[in-house]
Amino acid sequence: MYYGFDMGGTKIELGVFDAELNKVWQKRVPTPRHSYDELLATLIELAHEADAQVGTQGKIGIGVPGMQTGEDGALFTANLPATMGKPLRVDLSQRLQREVRINNDANCFVLSEAWDAEFRSYPVVMGIILGTGLGGGLVVDGRPVEGRNGIAGEFGHLRLPSDALDVIGADIPRVECGCGQSGCIENYISGRGFEWLYEHLYGEALPAVTIIRHYRGGESKALEFVDRFMDLLAACLGNLLTLFDPHLLVLGGGLSNFDEIYQILPTRLPSRLLPIARLPRIEKARHGDAGGVRGAALLHLMDN
């Protein structure tokens, strides 16, 4: 059996999968955000409960909102204080007497999609999460690309490209980012960025769902805004598609449910690519909220 833990800032979800990726059991509990000992105890208790449910010791993978650093695998998890700087993989492996694998939660999302039955034939899969921030990852031949520092796929922390400034204006405020820089693209093309940009342009704070409803109703400001936003999204994604040349681009996160993206974006991207470039297939994520636990389980299952 394969255990996938999706460890977020508010909840920990465990999914137990068989060798065919069928989910056989799941449980969700609150995340102990500030006590490392409590968090360890929670993960250990969940693993033992799963062992009792399935009658064996499962293999454990964990998706975390951050990345491993250094030789001991200490975590950098800015939004989860309990694990910041802690060697979670080492500590859990010792206490549970089995190998624990850890990867970035966005990598787990892309891994889950790349192993979808419909998508398995694509050698290079790029995933983008248009949520509160902008997460991302790259899977090549069924395995996540992590890089030397574990930050490969942190697309949200690229700065606004010059052609994006042509779309939204060179005088656009360079929004400060949680990474310590300013002008990172996640502050403009994420779900949160979608709302911020609308407020900046029109002086009215509206949630994304309201802006989209106005767009579908033909309201002039919303039509104008979405047209500009799609150009901005294409300008930012164009550089990524040129760099990685994926066969498949999968979009997740709340803004990925704006279905018009999948009709409009392919018409805007060609002008942002090399003349010989063919567009990748662009799809909404197939596994939604379940992608995190599924991808974490695949950290072991992908070896089979």
Side-chain angles (χ1 to χ4, degrees), residues 258-290:
F258 182 19
D259 288 336
E260 285 83 346
I261 286 177
Y262 306 96
Q263 287 77 52
I264 301 172
L265 190 58
T267 70
R268 306 297 174 91
L269 279 169
S271 65
R272 308 293 181 180
L273 304 177
L274 291 172
I276 63 168
R278 290 177 293 168
L279 285 178
R281 181 177 175 183
I282 303 173
E283 294 286 346
K284 183 193 296 188
R286 294 291 192 262
H287 297 280
D289 292 342

CSV table of all heavy atoms in Angstrom, one decimal, residues 258-290:
chain,number,residue,atom,x,y,z
A,258,PHE,N,-12.1,28.7,-14.2
A,258,PHE,CA,-12.6,29.7,-15.2
A,258,PHE,C,-12.4,29.1,-16.5
A,258,PHE,O,-11.4,29.2,-17.2
A,258,PHE,CB,-11.8,31.0,-15.0
A,258,PHE,CG,-12.2,32.1,-15.9
A,258,PHE,CD1,-13.5,32.2,-16.5
A,258,PHE,CD2,-11.4,33.2,-16.1
A,258,PHE,CE1,-13.9,33.2,-17.3
A,258,PHE,CE2,-11.8,34.2,-16.9
A,258,PHE,CZ,-13.0,34.2,-17.5
A,259,ASP,N,-13.4,28.4,-17.0
A,259,ASP,CA,-13.3,27.5,-18.2
A,259,ASP,C,-13.0,28.2,-19.5
A,259,ASP,O,-12.4,27.6,-20.4
A,259,ASP,CB,-14.6,26.7,-18.3
A,259,ASP,CG,-14.7,25.6,-17.3
A,259,ASP,OD1,-13.7,25.2,-16.7
A,259,ASP,OD2,-15.9,25.2,-17.0
A,260,GLU,N,-13.3,29.5,-19.5
A,260,GLU,CA,-13.0,30.2,-20.7
A,260,GLU,C,-11.5,30.3,-21.0
A,260,GLU,O,-11.0,30.6,-22.1
A,260,GLU,CB,-13.6,31.6,-20.7
A,260,GLU,CG,-15.1,31.7,-20.8
A,260,GLU,CD,-15.9,31.4,-19.6
A,260,GLU,OE1,-15.3,30.9,-18.6
A,260,GLU,OE2,-17.1,31.6,-19.6
A,261,ILE,N,-10.7,30.1,-20.0
A,261,ILE,CA,-9.2,30.1,-20.1
A,261,ILE,C,-8.8,29.2,-21.2
A,261,ILE,O,-7.9,29.5,-22.1
A,261,ILE,CB,-8.5,29.7,-18.8
A,261,ILE,CG1,-8.6,30.9,-17.8
A,261,ILE,CG2,-7.0,29.4,-19.1
A,261,ILE,CD1,-7.9,30.6,-16.5
A,262,TYR,N,-9.4,28.0,-21.3
A,262,TYR,CA,-9.0,27.0,-22.2
A,262,TYR,C,-9.4,27.2,-23.7
A,262,TYR,O,-8.9,26.6,-24.6
A,262,TYR,CB,-9.5,25.6,-21.7
A,262,TYR,CG,-9.2,25.4,-20.3
A,262,TYR,CD1,-10.0,25.7,-19.2
A,262,TYR,CD2,-7.9,24.9,-19.9
A,262,TYR,CE1,-9.7,25.5,-17.9
A,262,TYR,CE2,-7.5,24.8,-18.6
A,262,TYR,CZ,-8.4,25.1,-17.6
A,262,TYR,OH,-8.0,24.9,-16.3
A,263,GLN,N,-10.3,28.2,-23.9
A,263,GLN,CA,-10.6,28.6,-25.2
A,263,GLN,C,-9.8,29.8,-25.6
A,263,GLN,O,-9.3,29.9,-26.8
A,263,GLN,CB,-12.1,29.0,-25.3
A,263,GLN,CG,-13.1,27.8,-25.3
A,263,GLN,CD,-13.3,27.2,-24.0
A,263,GLN,OE1,-13.6,27.9,-23.0
A,263,GLN,NE2,-13.1,25.9,-23.8
A,264,ILE,N,-9.6,30.7,-24.7
A,264,ILE,CA,-8.9,32.0,-25.0
A,264,ILE,C,-7.4,31.9,-25.0
A,264,ILE,O,-6.7,32.4,-26.0
A,264,ILE,CB,-9.3,33.1,-24.0
A,264,ILE,CG1,-10.8,33.3,-24.0
A,264,ILE,CG2,-8.6,34.4,-24.3
A,264,ILE,CD1,-11.3,34.2,-23.0
A,265,LEU,N,-6.8,31.2,-24.0
A,265,LEU,CA,-5.3,31.1,-23.9
A,265,LEU,C,-4.7,30.6,-25.2
A,265,LEU,O,-3.6,31.2,-25.6
A,265,LEU,CB,-5.0,30.3,-22.7
A,265,LEU,CG,-3.5,30.4,-22.3
A,265,LEU,CD1,-3.0,31.8,-22.0
A,265,LEU,CD2,-3.3,29.5,-21.0
A,266,PRO,N,-5.2,29.5,-25.8
A,266,PRO,CA,-4.5,29.0,-27.0
A,266,PRO,C,-4.5,30.0,-28.2
A,266,PRO,O,-3.6,29.9,-29.1
A,266,PRO,CB,-5.3,27.8,-27.4
A,266,PRO,CG,-5.9,27.3,-26.1
A,266,PRO,CD,-6.2,28.6,-25.4
A,267,THR,N,-5.4,31.0,-28.2
A,267,THR,CA,-5.4,32.0,-29.2
A,267,THR,C,-4.4,33.1,-28.9
A,267,THR,O,-4.0,33.9,-29.9
A,267,THR,CB,-6.8,32.6,-29.4
A,267,THR,OG1,-7.1,33.4,-28.3
A,267,THR,CG2,-7.8,31.5,-29.6
A,268,ARG,N,-4.0,33.3,-27.7
A,268,ARG,CA,-3.1,34.4,-27.3
A,268,ARG,C,-1.6,33.9,-27.2
A,268,ARG,O,-0.7,34.7,-27.3
A,268,ARG,CB,-3.5,34.9,-25.9
A,268,ARG,CG,-4.9,35.4,-25.8
A,268,ARG,CD,-5.3,36.5,-26.8
A,268,ARG,NE,-6.7,36.8,-26.7
A,268,ARG,CZ,-7.2,37.7,-25.9
A,268,ARG,NH1,-6.5,38.4,-25.1
A,268,ARG,NH2,-8.5,38.0,-26.0
A,269,LEU,N,-1.4,32.6,-27.0
A,269,LEU,CA,0.0,32.2,-26.8
A,269,LEU,C,0.9,32.2,-28.1
A,269,LEU,O,2.1,32.4,-27.9
A,269,LEU,CB,0.0,30.7,-26.2
A,269,LEU,CG,-0.3,30.6,-24.7
A,269,LEU,CD1,-0.5,29.2,-24.3
A,269,LEU,CD2,0.9,31.2,-24.0
A,270,PRO,N,0.3,31.8,-29.3
A,270,PRO,CA,1.3,31.7,-30.4
A,270,PRO,C,2.1,33.0,-30.6
A,270,PRO,O,3.3,32.8,-31.0
A,270,PRO,CB,0.3,31.5,-31.6
A,270,PRO,CG,-0.9,30.8,-31.0
A,270,PRO,CD,-1.0,31.4,-29.6
A,271,SER,N,1.6,34.1,-30.4
A,271,SER,CA,2.4,35.3,-30.6
A,271,SER,C,3.5,35.5,-29.6
A,271,SER,O,4.4,36.3,-29.8
A,271,SER,CB,1.5,36.6,-30.6
A,271,SER,OG,1.0,36.8,-29.4
A,272,ARG,N,3.5,34.7,-28.5
A,272,ARG,CA,4.5,34.8,-27.5
A,272,ARG,C,5.6,33.7,-27.6
A,272,ARG,O,6.5,33.6,-26.8
A,272,ARG,CB,3.8,34.6,-26.1
A,272,ARG,CG,2.6,35.6,-25.8
A,272,ARG,CD,3.1,37.0,-25.8
A,272,ARG,NE,1.9,37.9,-25.5
A,272,ARG,CZ,2.0,39.2,-25.4
A,272,ARG,NH1,3.2,39.8,-25.5
A,272,ARG,NH2,1.0,39.9,-25.2
A,273,LEU,N,5.4,32.9,-28.7
A,273,LEU,CA,6.3,31.7,-28.8
A,273,LEU,C,7.2,31.9,-30.1
A,273,LEU,O,6.9,32.7,-30.9
A,273,LEU,CB,5.5,30.4,-28.9
A,273,LEU,CG,4.6,30.1,-27.7
A,273,LEU,CD1,3.8,28.9,-28.0
A,273,LEU,CD2,5.4,30.0,-26.4
A,274,LEU,N,8.2,31.0,-30.2
A,274,LEU,CA,8.9,31.0,-31.5
A,274,LEU,C,8.0,30.6,-32.6
A,274,LEU,O,7.1,29.9,-32.5
A,274,LEU,CB,10.1,30.0,-31.4
A,274,LEU,CG,11.2,30.4,-30.4
A,274,LEU,CD1,12.2,29.2,-30.3
A,274,LEU,CD2,12.0,31.6,-30.9
A,275,PRO,N,8.3,31.1,-33.8
A,275,PRO,CA,7.4,30.8,-35.0
A,275,PRO,C,7.2,29.3,-35.3
A,275,PRO,O,6.2,28.9,-35.8
A,275,PRO,CB,8.1,31.5,-36.1
A,275,PRO,CG,8.9,32.6,-35.5
A,275,PRO,CD,9.4,32.1,-34.2
A,276,ILE,N,8.2,28.5,-35.0
A,276,ILE,CA,8.1,27.1,-35.3
A,276,ILE,C,7.4,26.3,-34.1
A,276,ILE,O,7.2,25.1,-34.3
A,276,ILE,CB,9.5,26.5,-35.5
A,276,ILE,CG1,10.4,26.6,-34.2
A,276,ILE,CG2,10.2,27.1,-36.7
A,276,ILE,CD1,11.6,25.7,-34.3
A,277,ALA,N,7.1,27.0,-33.0
A,277,ALA,CA,6.6,26.3,-31.8
A,277,ALA,C,5.2,25.8,-32.0
A,277,ALA,O,4.4,26.6,-32.6
A,277,ALA,CB,6.7,27.1,-30.6
A,278,ARG,N,4.9,24.6,-31.6
A,278,ARG,CA,3.6,24.1,-31.6
A,278,ARG,C,3.1,24.2,-30.1
A,278,ARG,O,3.8,23.9,-29.2
A,278,ARG,CB,3.5,22.6,-32.0
A,278,ARG,CG,3.7,22.5,-33.5
A,278,ARG,CD,3.7,21.0,-33.9
A,278,ARG,NE,4.9,20.3,-33.4
A,278,ARG,CZ,5.0,19.0,-33.4
A,278,ARG,NH1,4.1,18.2,-33.9
A,278,ARG,NH2,6.1,18.5,-32.9
A,279,LEU,N,1.9,24.6,-29.9
A,279,LEU,CA,1.3,24.7,-28.6
A,279,LEU,C,1.2,23.3,-27.9
A,279,LEU,O,0.9,22.3,-28.6
A,279,LEU,CB,-0.1,25.3,-28.6
A,279,LEU,CG,-0.2,26.8,-28.8
A,279,LEU,CD1,-1.7,27.1,-28.9
A,279,LEU,CD2,0.5,27.6,-27.8
A,280,PRO,N,1.5,23.3,-26.6
A,280,PRO,CA,1.2,22.0,-25.9
A,280,PRO,C,-0.3,21.8,-25.7
A,280,PRO,O,-1.1,22.8,-25.9
A,280,PRO,CB,1.9,22.3,-24.5
A,280,PRO,CG,1.7,23.7,-24.3
A,280,PRO,CD,1.9,24.3,-25.7
A,281,ARG,N,-0.7,20.7,-25.4
A,281,ARG,CA,-2.1,20.4,-25.0
A,281,ARG,C,-2.3,21.2,-23.7
A,281,ARG,O,-1.4,21.1,-22.8
A,281,ARG,CB,-2.4,19.0,-24.8
A,281,ARG,CG,-3.8,18.6,-24.4
A,281,ARG,CD,-4.0,17.1,-24.4
A,281,ARG,NE,-5.3,16.7,-23.9
A,281,ARG,CZ,-5.7,15.5,-23.7
A,281,ARG,NH1,-4.9,14.5,-23.9
A,281,ARG,NH2,-6.9,15.3,-23.2
A,282,ILE,N,-3.4,21.9,-23.5
A,282,ILE,CA,-3.7,22.7,-22.3
A,282,ILE,C,-5.0,22.1,-21.7
A,282,ILE,O,-6.0,22.1,-22.4
A,282,ILE,CB,-3.8,24.2,-22.6
A,282,ILE,CG1,-2.5,24.7,-23.3
A,282,ILE,CG2,-4.1,24.9,-21.3
A,282,ILE,CD1,-2.6,26.1,-23.8
A,283,GLU,N,-4.9,21.6,-20.5
A,283,GLU,CA,-6.0,21.0,-19.8
A,283,GLU,C,-6.2,21.4,-18.4
A,283,GLU,O,-5.2,21.8,-17.7
A,283,GLU,CB,-5.8,19.5,-19.9
A,283,GLU,CG,-5.9,18.8,-21.2
A,283,GLU,CD,-7.3,18.8,-21.8
A,283,GLU,OE1,-8.2,19.0,-21.1
A,283,GLU,OE2,-7.4,18.6,-23.1
A,284,LYS,N,-7.4,21.4,-17.9
A,284,LYS,CA,-7.7,21.5,-16.5
A,284,LYS,C,-7.3,20.3,-15.7
A,284,LYS,O,-7.4,19.2,-16.3
A,284,LYS,CB,-9.2,21.8,-16.3
A,284,LYS,CG,-9.6,22.1,-14.8
A,284,LYS,CD,-11.1,22.0,-14.6
A,284,LYS,CE,-11.8,23.1,-15.3
A,284,LYS,NZ,-13.2,23.1,-14.9
A,285,ALA,N,-6.8,20.4,-14.5
A,285,ALA,CA,-6.3,19.3,-13.7
A,285,ALA,C,-7.5,18.3,-13.6
A,285,ALA,O,-8.6,18.7,-13.3
A,285,ALA,CB,-5.8,19.7,-12.4
A,286,ARG,N,-7.2,17.0,-13.7
A,286,ARG,CA,-8.2,16.0,-13.6
A,286,ARG,C,-8.5,15.6,-12.2
A,286,ARG,O,-9.6,15.0,-12.0
A,286,ARG,CB,-7.7,14.7,-14.4
A,286,ARG,CG,-7.5,14.9,-15.9
A,286,ARG,CD,-8.9,15.1,-16.6
A,286,ARG,NE,-8.8,15.0,-18.0
A,286,ARG,CZ,-8.8,16.0,-18.9
A,286,ARG,NH1,-8.8,17.2,-18.4
A,286,ARG,NH2,-8.7,15.8,-20.2
A,287,HIS,N,-7.6,15.8,-11.3
A,287,HIS,CA,-7.8,15.2,-10.0
A,287,HIS,C,-8.1,16.2,-8.8
A,287,HIS,O,-8.2,15.8,-7.7
A,287,HIS,CB,-6.6,14.3,-9.6
A,287,HIS,CG,-6.4,13.2,-10.5
A,287,HIS,ND1,-7.1,12.0,-10.4
A,287,HIS,CD2,-5.6,13.0,-11.7
A,287,HIS,CE1,-6.8,11.2,-11.4
A,287,HIS,NE2,-5.9,11.8,-12.2
A,288,GLY,N,-8.1,17.5,-9.2
A,288,GLY,CA,-8.6,18.5,-8.2
A,288,GLY,C,-7.9,18.4,-6.9
A,288,GLY,O,-6.7,18.2,-6.8
A,289,ASP,N,-8.7,18.5,-5.8
A,289,ASP,CA,-8.1,18.5,-4.5
A,289,ASP,C,-7.5,17.2,-4.1
A,289,ASP,O,-6.7,17.1,-3.2
A,289,ASP,CB,-9.3,18.8,-3.4
A,289,ASP,CG,-9.8,20.2,-3.5
A,289,ASP,OD1,-9.1,21.1,-4.1
A,289,ASP,OD2,-10.9,20.5,-3.0
A,290,ALA,N,-7.8,16.1,-4.8
A,290,ALA,CA,-7.2,14.8,-4.5
A,290,ALA,C,-5.8,14.7,-5.1
A,290,ALA,O,-5.1,13.7,-4.7
A,290,ALA,CB,-8.1,13.7,-5.0
